[in-house]
Amino acid sequence: MLELHHLRQNYGPRALLKDIHLSVAAGEIVALLGPSGSGKSTLLSIVAGLQAPLSGSVWFEGDDITAWPPEQRRFALMFQDFALFPHLNVLDNVAFGLVEQRIGKRYARAQALDMLRLFGLDSQAQHKVWHLSGGEQQRVALARALITRPRALLLDEPFSALDADLRATLRDEFRSRIQAAGIPTLLVTHDASEAQAMAARAVRLVDGVLERLW
């Protein structure tokens, strides 16, 4: 379980996050909504270990990980721009995280190919990522995130760059794969319909405080 306790953060003189409490269970998707500038991405960055909170703590499976660097937390963070490597083919994009963990390249590629099969993309393993459609690129990004078996998944507006029909398709696919993998997931979105389609629970960040939506 991922737990946030008494998190506070300022943006200049303004209190951006005020005593944030939140828990996300294994396999659960919790949506985080709120207006632009409300601190949603800042909260995600704190959970990922990319910035330190002013006060409070982040816990995972009973451990206080507030001071842990991102690589020690082993959380996967996905952005709306997919953040794929244009100089690598699809297979090596997916294998990248395993190679970074010093797993042999041959084994990493074999695992990546198995993951691509799950997403129906194995026939495009040798293609450059810019040859793929937006939906295919997003599937590659999710495959790359899941192959390292992350302990938690942090999604920052992952579908905002896609058209409405494709968003609807990928929401269902992401939800089923996340639940099957049993990964606690925090989804930042501005879209209430997206939150309803994907999340078991939803909260809204307003004036630095979390409000329960459902």
Side-chain angles (χ1 to χ4, degrees):
M1 177 178 286
L2 174 65
E3 299 173 276
L4 314 181
H5 297 295
H6 301 291
L7 286 181
R8 298 177 184 271
Q9 186 66 294
N10 291 348
Y11 182 75
R14 179 167 70 98
L16 189 62
L17 303 176
K18 305 173 184 176
D19 200 33
I20 297 295
H21 290 261
L22 185 64
S23 64
V24 187
E28 182 182 30
I29 302 174
V30 174
L32 174 61
L33 296 94
S36 296
S38 61
K40 302 187 301 297
S41 293
T42 296
L43 182 58
L44 214 62
S45 293
I46 290 172
V47 175
L50 299 177
Q51 63 173 285
L54 185 66
S55 62
S57 57
V58 179
W59 292 70
F60 190 83
E61 294 183 349
D63 293 323
D64 182 350
I65 65 170
T66 312
W68 292 14
E71 62 273 14
Q72 191 174 353
R73 298 183 188 207
R74 290 178 46 218
F75 294 172
L77 180 59
M78 286 181 58
F79 299 98
Q80 57 184 300
D81 62 358
F82 314 150
L84 299 175
F85 301 112
H87 63 290
L88 297 179
N89 63 23
V90 170
L91 183 68
D92 285 338
N93 261 279
V94 176
F96 181 81
L98 295 179
V99 173
E100 284 292 290
Q101 294 176 357
R102 299 190 177 183
I103 291 173
K105 186 169 287 188
R106 178 179 295 181
Y107 180 75
R109 284 175 169 166
Q111 293 297 303
L113 189 58
D114 287 342
M115 182 64 73
L116 286 171
R117 287 193 185 98
L118 291 177
F119 284 82
L121 292 170
D122 51 304
S123 64
Q124 302 186 63
Q126 300 303 321
H127 292 183
K128 294 296 186 181
V129 291
W130 66 76
H131 291 159
L132 305 183
S133 67
E136 289 168 337
Q137 289 185 38
Q138 188 61 288
R139 289 185 178 96
V140 172
L142 180 61
R144 186 179 64 182
L146 294 181
I147 198 171
T148 59
R149 298 185 180 179
R151 304 201 305 166
L153 187 59
L154 311 174
L155 306 177
D156 194 357
E157 301 278 6
F159 310 116
S160 62
L162 306 176
D163 63 63
D165 289 342
L166 186 53
R167 282 202 304 270
T169 299
L170 287 179
R171 287 169 188 166
D172 292 340
E173 183 175 338
F174 271 48
R175 184 184 65 247
S176 63
R177 293 190 185 281
I178 288 166
Q179 291 172 342
I183 302 172
T185 299
L186 189 57
L187 167 69
V188 166
T189 180
H190 67 278
D191 186 342
S193 63
E194 184 168 282
Q196 291 174 340
M198 291 191 66
R201 287 190 290 131
V203 293
R204 185 188 303 276
L205 184 57
V206 180
D207 295 328
V209 177
L210 285 182
E211 301 173 350
R212 177 76 179 263
L213 294 178
W214 70 79

